[in-house]
Amino acid sequence: MSEANLFDGQASDSVWTVSELTDEVKRVLESGFGTVQVSGEISNFRRQASGHLYFSLKDEDAQLASVMFRGDANRLK
C-alpha cells in the first residue's frame, strides 16, 4: 500500500488489499471516536449457535449491522 491515507481526499492509483482497507477504516474510526452510545430500533435479530447475537440498529434514516459477541451477550439480564 502507498503512503497515501485512504481518507485524505487525494486520488490514488494504488490497489489496496481487503486487509489494508479494513485496517485503515478501523484506524480512522478508532482515532476519530471515543466511546459512544447509540440508540435505535433492533431489527433482524438472530442468535447464533455460537452465542453471538446479530442484529440491525436502525432509525428512520439509516441502519447499522451489529454484533454482540457471546461473552457480552452472556452478561445480559
Side-chain angles (χ1 to χ4, degrees):
M1 171 178 63
S2 70
E3 293 294 317
N5 182 308
L6 174 65
F7 300 103
D8 66 5
Q10 301 296 316
S12 172
D13 291 331
S14 64
V15 176
W16 294 50
T17 66
V18 172
S19 295
E20 290 169 337
L21 177 61
T22 57
D23 287 347
E24 181 69 3
V25 168
K26 180 180 180 203
R27 185 192 66 74
V28 168
L29 288 175
E30 286 179 349
S31 67
F33 292 95
T35 300
V36 297
Q37 294 182 22
V38 178
S39 68
E41 178 183 339
I42 295 174
S43 65
N44 304 317
F45 179 83
R46 307 180 303 288
R47 181 184 299 269
Q48 298 299 112
S50 64
H52 303 327
L53 310 178
Y54 293 90
F55 54 96
S56 295
L57 279 177
K58 67 179 189 174
D59 63 20
E60 59 277 353
D61 297 318
Q63 71 178 22
L64 293 169
S66 305
V67 62
M68 179 179 289
F69 296 111
R70 178 182 57 227
D72 294 320
N74 287 338
R75 289 189 286 278
L76 291 175
K77 295 181 182 194

